[in-house]
Amino acid sequence: MKFDSIVIGGGMAGLSAALRLAEAGQKTLLMASGQSALHFSSGSIDLLESDGDPRAALPAFLAAHPEHPYGKVGLANIEASLADLQRHCAEEGLPLFRQERNHQRLTPIGTLKSTWLSPATCACLTDAPAPAAILLATLAGFRDFHPALAAANLAAQPRFAHCRILTGEIRLPQLAEFSRNPHEFRSADIARLFDKQQHDKQDLLADLAREIGRMVQECGEPGCRHIVLPACLSLGLVGPRLAELEQRTGCTIKEVATMPPSLIGMRMQEALKRRFMALGGTFLTSERVLGARFDGDKVIGVHSQNGDDQLFEADHFVLASGSFFSRGLESRLGGIREPIFDADVLSLPERDAWAGRRLFDHHPFMGFGVKTDDKLRVLRGGKPLVNLYGAGSVLAHYDPVREGSGSGVAVATGWQAAGHILAGV
């Protein structure tokens, strides 16, 4: 089975590469091993931790970190990759919000996280003044969002010093009928019920709107018109459902990502997957790639767990298999290993030096990963494999958590790897 390009990994980096290749007319295969890190993410795209415009902070940052993956992409291409992501998401009905500087997204515990792009349905702090009152609400029986905890943390933020932060609980009898244990709901369970009710033409949304009205009346602040709910109202695109709910209640309603699994991240993955397939791409899921066949410094093909002896061949390959979480990197007693291509990996010989002593210390293992040349071609035995490019968290020389750069690096390097393939580099 022969393709123009094969992308290994169904997360943000793999999807960014696959979308650009498919849109350019390449016969593209994306091989995903299962759930990507997007199922555990907020769905927001971080570019770089910065108080102002992170694009303005990038030159100084790259001067201090010359081997960083952003440096191999370039400033203009970083911005172009993010604009392309916005375009693809908008095409699938998932508009992304941004400002000319980082905005702050509300987390499920009520803290504020700086980020560059967020789904428009998310609760975010913008340049507008904080409202006089805000109501954080959950559904009775849902245990992955605790409004009281979120309210206490949000009240400590200076921007909310003059805002009354209220909490409430929504009681929907339909949820009690949905599960044998009314205190074991997950976000996906509730979302399936809302989706099923809509499919069966039952108006569960009307019941929810009435409950929101009741909460507002009982909270002691009847003028409150800003509501935050956990992201659990749909497995699919939730924008139309929130818009209808706003029309019924007269409130502004936003959602906050819950503890994993995160529906907002899952929606992002499904939207980009739909877009890729609409562009003619082939998406194989539960297809873990195990190894590769080489001809000198060139990759001929890869074989998978479910493919028996079948070799998936292509002219070019993108390695976007993720880090330790996704098993794109493996930690062994003898060191760090990249399991598919046996690529060169940045690591430290002394295992005791991999992590700091305290939880919030710097952890060197966060910067471990696959080595590439300046064109993002993966190194093996000190030399680049001429048709294999690396992208995303499998790469070395960056710390996504400390820098606030994880998803931005994924988008930019995936997009740029595809660009090198299209340019014939």
Side-chain angles (χ1 to χ4, degrees):
M1 190 175 295
K2 181 68 181 290
F3 294 86
D4 294 325
S5 294
I6 292 177
V7 178
I8 302 166
M12 187 60 77
L15 285 163
S16 297
L19 281 165
R20 191 176 187 188
L21 293 168
E23 190 169 42
Q26 284 222 347
K27 183 181 178 184
T28 307
L29 170 66
L30 191 151
M31 304 177 75
S33 61
Q35 291 183 349
S36 76
L38 278 169
H39 285 240
F40 303 87
S41 81
S42 66
S44 292
I45 308 298
D46 299 338
L47 177 53
L48 187 70
E49 185 71 33
S50 171
D51 292 333
D53 186 342
R55 297 168 300 182
L58 275 171
F61 175 80
L62 293 179
H65 304 84
E67 295 185 90
H68 196 279
Y70 274 153
K72 300 176 183 182
V73 176
L75 299 177
N77 289 326
I78 293 170
E79 192 159 1
S81 71
L82 294 168
D84 232 17
L85 176 69
Q86 283 185 276
R87 178 175 60 85
H88 286 305
C89 287
E91 287 286 344
E92 290 299 321
L94 186 69
L96 301 179
F97 165 80
R98 55 154 282 196
Q99 300 181 134
E100 292 305 304
R101 60 179 182 178
N102 279 334
H103 61 271
Q104 293 183 304
R105 172 183 54 81
L106 182 66
T107 74
I109 61 171
T111 56
L112 297 173
K113 172 69 172 64
S114 292
T115 191
W116 180 244
L117 295 171
S118 292
T121 59
C122 291
C124 296
L125 187 63
T126 67
D127 293 333
I134 185 172
L135 175 61
L136 309 181
T138 191
L139 285 83
F142 182 56
R143 63 181 187 177
D144 289 339
F145 179 60
H146 302 282
L149 172 63
N153 286 326
L154 192 58
Q157 300 291 334
R159 285 284 299 275
F160 287 86
H162 304 291
C163 175
R164 188 176 180 196
I165 303 173
L166 309 164
T167 62
E169 186 176 75
I170 295 167
R171 300 187 291 269
L172 293 176
Q174 295 92 329
L175 293 181
E177 299 170 6
F178 184 62
S179 172
R180 288 179 295 179
N181 188 338
H183 302 288
E184 290 294 330
F185 296 118
R186 294 294 188 187
S187 55
D189 299 326
I190 299 171
R192 287 189 191 98
L193 178 61
F194 272 93
D195 291 341
K196 181 178 184 300
Q197 293 268 323
Q198 185 178 48
H199 180 269
D200 296 343
K201 308 298 183 184
Q202 300 180 42
D203 203 357
L204 182 58
L205 210 61
D207 295 336
L208 178 58
R210 283 192 291 271
E211 274 292 288
I212 289 174
R214 176 193 61 77
M215 281 194 310
V216 170
Q217 289 299 319
E218 294 179 358
C219 73
E221 192 74 39
C224 178
R225 288 293 178 265
H226 293 271
I227 313 295
V228 175
L229 300 176
C232 61
L233 299 186
S234 179
L235 289 172
L237 297 176
V238 77
R241 190 163 294 174
L242 286 178
E244 182 180 348
L245 196 57
E246 288 181 335
Q247 186 177 24
R248 293 186 184 217
T249 62
C251 295
T252 298
I253 300 176
K254 297 294 184 180
E255 59 177 1
V256 61
T258 64
M259 301 301 181
S262 167
L263 294 195
I264 300 180
M266 291 165 64
R267 291 179 201 142
M268 172 78 76
Q269 177 171 297
E270 286 304 307
L272 296 178
K273 176 183 173 182
R274 285 196 307 271
R275 178 71 173 156
F276 170 63
M277 295 176 71
L279 291 169
T282 302
F283 193 104
L284 293 181
T285 191
S286 300
E287 200 71 44
R288 179 170 295 280
V289 177
L290 299 181
R293 184 179 298 174
F294 304 89
D295 181 9
D297 61 357
K298 186 175 183 180
V299 180
I300 302 300
V302 295
H303 58 88
S304 70
Q305 189 173 23
N306 300 321
D308 297 323
D309 296 327
Q310 181 176 353
L311 190 69
F312 294 89
E313 298 180 74
D315 296 324
H316 296 94
F317 298 82
V318 177
L319 177 64
S321 52
S323 187
F324 302 101
F325 177 82
S326 303
R327 294 168 60 184
L329 298 173
E330 293 181 351
S331 173
R332 304 286 182 87
L333 288 176
I336 302 300
R337 173 176 175 264
E338 187 282 308
I340 299 173
F341 300 97
D342 194 25
D344 293 350
V345 175
L346 174 70
S347 182
L348 291 174
E350 293 297 329
R351 197 177 183 92
D352 285 348
W354 289 5
R357 296 299 178 188
R358 295 179 176 82
L359 179 62
F360 294 106
D361 285 351
H362 168 57
H363 300 295
F365 78 87
M366 295 295 294
F368 293 174
V370 167
K371 298 179 181 179
T372 63
D373 68 4
D374 61 351
K375 302 296 184 184
L376 292 172
R377 293 179 297 192
V378 172
L379 302 184
R380 186 171 185 258
K383 298 179 179 179
L385 291 164
V386 296
N387 65 337
L388 174 64
Y389 299 83
S393 58
V394 75
L395 297 176
H397 299 296
Y398 83 108
D399 185 335
V401 175
R402 198 178 192 191
E403 299 164 2
S405 65
S407 43
V409 167
V411 173
T413 54
W415 189 88
Q416 183 70 351
H420 286 316
I421 291 172
L422 296 174
V425 175

